[in-house]
PDB file of all heavy atoms in Angstrom:
ATOM      1  N   THR A  50     100.966  86.969 115.880  1.00 93.00           N
ATOM      2  CA  THR A  50     102.154  86.776 116.825  1.00 93.00           C
ATOM      3  C   THR A  50     101.559  86.251 118.181  1.00 93.00           C
ATOM      4  O   THR A  50     102.300  85.957 118.962  1.00 93.00           O
ATOM      5  CB  THR A  50     103.042  87.834 116.946  1.00 93.00           C
ATOM      6  OG1 THR A  50     102.303  88.975 117.662  1.00 93.00           O
ATOM      7  CG2 THR A  50     103.777  88.277 115.771  1.00 93.00           C
ATOM      8  N   CYS A  51     100.189  86.071 118.207  1.00 90.00           N
ATOM      9  CA  CYS A  51      99.590  85.552 119.448  1.00 90.00           C
ATOM     10  C   CYS A  51      99.750  84.013 119.586  1.00 90.00           C
ATOM     11  O   CYS A  51      99.712  83.293 118.569  1.00 90.00           O
ATOM     12  CB  CYS A  51      98.088  86.009 119.400  1.00 90.00           C
ATOM     13  SG  CYS A  51      97.178  85.376 120.768  1.00 90.00           S
ATOM     14  N   TYR A  71      96.654  92.268 111.616  1.00 97.00           N
ATOM     15  CA  TYR A  71      96.730  90.861 112.203  1.00 97.00           C
ATOM     16  C   TYR A  71      97.031  91.127 113.730  1.00 97.00           C
ATOM     17  O   TYR A  71      97.472  92.338 114.029  1.00 97.00           O
ATOM     18  CB  TYR A  71      97.665  90.034 111.562  1.00 97.00           C
ATOM     19  CG  TYR A  71      99.069  90.593 111.466  1.00 97.00           C
ATOM     20  CD1 TYR A  71     100.099  90.493 112.448  1.00 97.00           C
ATOM     21  CD2 TYR A  71      99.517  91.040 110.295  1.00 97.00           C
ATOM     22  CE1 TYR A  71     101.349  91.011 112.309  1.00 97.00           C
ATOM     23  CE2 TYR A  71     100.765  91.613 109.964  1.00 97.00           C
ATOM     24  CZ  TYR A  71     101.621  91.524 111.183  1.00 97.00           C
ATOM     25  OH  TYR A  71     102.847  92.049 110.996  1.00 97.00           O
ATOM     26  N   VAL A  72      96.824  90.175 114.552  1.00 95.00           N
ATOM     27  CA  VAL A  72      97.177  90.113 115.965  1.00 95.00           C
ATOM     28  C   VAL A  72      98.685  90.350 116.110  1.00 95.00           C
ATOM     29  O   VAL A  72      99.424  89.469 115.723  1.00 95.00           O
ATOM     30  CB  VAL A  72      96.512  89.034 116.711  1.00 95.00           C
ATOM     31  CG1 VAL A  72      96.845  89.134 118.143  1.00 95.00           C
ATOM     32  CG2 VAL A  72      95.021  88.961 116.475  1.00 95.00           C
ATOM     33  N   GLY A  73      99.140  91.297 116.870  1.00 94.00           N
ATOM     34  CA  GLY A  73     100.482  91.536 117.198  1.00 94.00           C
ATOM     35  C   GLY A  73     100.868  92.598 118.176  1.00 94.00           C
ATOM     36  O   GLY A  73     100.079  93.478 118.329  1.00 94.00           O
ATOM     37  N   ALA A  74     101.920  92.591 118.751  1.00 92.00           N
ATOM     38  CA  ALA A  74     102.387  93.548 119.725  1.00 92.00           C
ATOM     39  C   ALA A  74     102.604  94.799 118.931  1.00 92.00           C
ATOM     40  O   ALA A  74     102.791  94.836 117.684  1.00 92.00           O
ATOM     41  CB  ALA A  74     103.591  93.153 120.449  1.00 92.00           C
ATOM     42  N   PRO A  75     102.557  96.041 119.600  1.00 92.00           N
ATOM     43  CA  PRO A  75     102.786  97.352 118.973  1.00 92.00           C
ATOM     44  C   PRO A  75     104.090  97.357 118.244  1.00 92.00           C
ATOM     45  O   PRO A  75     105.121  96.598 118.619  1.00 92.00           O
ATOM     46  CB  PRO A  75     102.842  98.312 120.111  1.00 92.00           C
ATOM     47  CG  PRO A  75     102.044  97.657 121.211  1.00 92.00           C
ATOM     48  CD  PRO A  75     102.220  96.241 121.017  1.00 92.00           C
ATOM     49  N   ARG A  76     104.119  98.074 117.137  1.00 92.00           N
ATOM     50  CA  ARG A  76     105.403  98.181 116.325  1.00 92.00           C
ATOM     51  C   ARG A  76     106.643  98.238 117.183  1.00 92.00           C
ATOM     52  O   ARG A  76     106.680  99.178 118.094  1.00 92.00           O
ATOM     53  CB  ARG A  76     105.321  99.256 115.339  1.00 92.00           C
ATOM     54  CG  ARG A  76     104.137  99.014 114.356  1.00 92.00           C
ATOM     55  CD  ARG A  76     104.009 100.326 113.424  1.00 92.00           C
ATOM     56  NE  ARG A  76     102.844 100.389 112.614  1.00 92.00           N
ATOM     57  CZ  ARG A  76     102.508  99.664 111.641  1.00 92.00           C
ATOM     58  NH1 ARG A  76     103.541  98.816 111.042  1.00 92.00           N
ATOM     59  NH2 ARG A  76     101.462  99.759 110.903  1.00 92.00           N
ATOM     60  N   GLY A  77     107.616  97.527 116.747  1.00 92.00           N
ATOM     61  CA  GLY A  77     108.949  97.585 117.464  1.00 92.00           C
ATOM     62  C   GLY A  77     108.925  97.051 118.862  1.00 92.00           C
ATOM     63  O   GLY A  77     110.168  97.229 119.461  1.00 92.00           O
ATOM     64  N   THR A  78     107.937  96.549 119.355  1.00 92.00           N
ATOM     65  CA  THR A  78     108.036  95.922 120.810  1.00 92.00           C
ATOM     66  C   THR A  78     107.932  94.334 120.748  1.00 92.00           C
ATOM     67  O   THR A  78     107.472  93.918 119.667  1.00 92.00           O
ATOM     68  CB  THR A  78     106.814  96.434 121.626  1.00 92.00           C
ATOM     69  OG1 THR A  78     105.598  95.762 121.128  1.00 92.00           O
ATOM     70  CG2 THR A  78     106.814  97.958 121.678  1.00 92.00           C
ATOM     71  N   PRO A  79     108.491  93.694 121.716  1.00 91.00           N
ATOM     72  CA  PRO A  79     108.478  92.193 121.634  1.00 91.00           C
ATOM     73  C   PRO A  79     107.070  91.608 121.632  1.00 91.00           C
ATOM     74  O   PRO A  79     106.184  92.233 122.256  1.00 91.00           O
ATOM     75  CB  PRO A  79     109.232  91.792 122.997  1.00 91.00           C
ATOM     76  CG  PRO A  79     109.721  93.110 123.539  1.00 91.00           C
ATOM     77  CD  PRO A  79     109.101  94.239 122.912  1.00 91.00           C
ATOM     78  N   ASN A  80     106.964  90.595 120.881  1.00 90.00           N
ATOM     79  CA  ASN A  80     105.562  89.921 120.881  1.00 90.00           C
ATOM     80  C   ASN A  80     105.736  88.604 121.418  1.00 90.00           C
ATOM     81  O   ASN A  80     106.853  88.006 121.568  1.00 90.00           O
ATOM     82  CB  ASN A  80     105.241  89.846 119.355  1.00 90.00           C
ATOM     83  CG  ASN A  80     106.149  89.222 118.512  1.00 90.00           C
ATOM     84  OD1 ASN A  80     106.391  87.997 118.711  1.00 90.00           O
ATOM     85  ND2 ASN A  80     106.669  89.878 117.531  1.00 90.00           N
ATOM     86  N   CYS A  81     104.580  88.037 121.779  1.00 90.00           N
ATOM     87  CA  CYS A  81     104.497  86.772 122.534  1.00 90.00           C
ATOM     88  C   CYS A  81     105.161  85.556 121.774  1.00 90.00           C
ATOM     89  O   CYS A  81     105.825  84.731 122.402  1.00 90.00           O
ATOM     90  CB  CYS A  81     103.027  86.358 122.750  1.00 90.00           C
ATOM     91  SG  CYS A  81     102.252  87.608 123.869  1.00 90.00           S
ATOM     92  N   ARG A 104      99.634  91.631 125.447  1.00 86.00           N
ATOM     93  CA  ARG A 104     100.643  92.426 124.717  1.00 86.00           C
ATOM     94  C   ARG A 104     100.238  92.928 123.284  1.00 86.00           C
ATOM     95  O   ARG A 104     100.670  93.741 122.820  1.00 86.00           O
ATOM     96  CB  ARG A 104     102.039  91.764 124.476  1.00 86.00           C
ATOM     97  CG  ARG A 104     102.600  91.262 125.700  1.00 86.00           C
ATOM     98  CD  ARG A 104     104.137  91.062 125.606  1.00 86.00           C
ATOM     99  NE  ARG A 104     104.836  91.946 124.625  1.00 86.00           N
ATOM    100  CZ  ARG A 104     105.107  93.272 124.973  1.00 86.00           C
ATOM    101  NH1 ARG A 104     104.720  93.735 126.163  1.00 86.00           N
ATOM    102  NH2 ARG A 104     105.713  93.934 124.137  1.00 86.00           N
ATOM    103  N   SER A 105      99.224  92.259 122.738  1.00 90.00           N
ATOM    104  CA  SER A 105      98.838  92.417 121.433  1.00 90.00           C
ATOM    105  C   SER A 105      97.767  93.395 121.267  1.00 90.00           C
ATOM    106  O   SER A 105      96.951  93.682 121.958  1.00 90.00           O
ATOM    107  CB  SER A 105      98.232  91.087 120.822  1.00 90.00           C
ATOM    108  OG  SER A 105      99.402  90.096 120.725  1.00 90.00           O
ATOM    109  N   VAL A 106      97.694  93.938 119.881  1.00 94.00           N
ATOM    110  CA  VAL A 106      96.747  94.806 119.404  1.00 94.00           C
ATOM    111  C   VAL A 106      95.850  93.812 118.493  1.00 94.00           C
ATOM    112  O   VAL A 106      96.510  93.040 117.681  1.00 94.00           O
ATOM    113  CB  VAL A 106      97.218  95.944 118.612  1.00 94.00           C
ATOM    114  CG1 VAL A 106      96.157  96.752 117.983  1.00 94.00           C
ATOM    115  CG2 VAL A 106      98.205  96.906 119.422  1.00 94.00           C
ATOM    116  N   ASN A 111      94.217  96.782 114.392  1.00 97.00           N
ATOM    117  CA  ASN A 111      95.439  96.974 113.535  1.00 97.00           C
ATOM    118  C   ASN A 111      95.048  97.476 112.154  1.00 97.00           C
ATOM    119  O   ASN A 111      95.776  98.269 111.495  1.00 97.00           O
ATOM    120  CB  ASN A 111      96.385  95.935 113.607  1.00 97.00           C
ATOM    121  CG  ASN A 111      97.414  96.005 114.619  1.00 97.00           C
ATOM    122  OD1 ASN A 111      97.928  97.113 115.011  1.00 97.00           O
ATOM    123  ND2 ASN A 111      97.741  94.770 115.175  1.00 97.00           N
TER     124      ASN A 111
END
Side-chain angles (χ1 to χ4, degrees):
T50 61
C51 178
Y71 54 85
V72 177
R76 294 176 197 279
T78 67
N80 58 64
C81 295
R104 296 205 40 73
S105 291
V106 178
N111 267 329

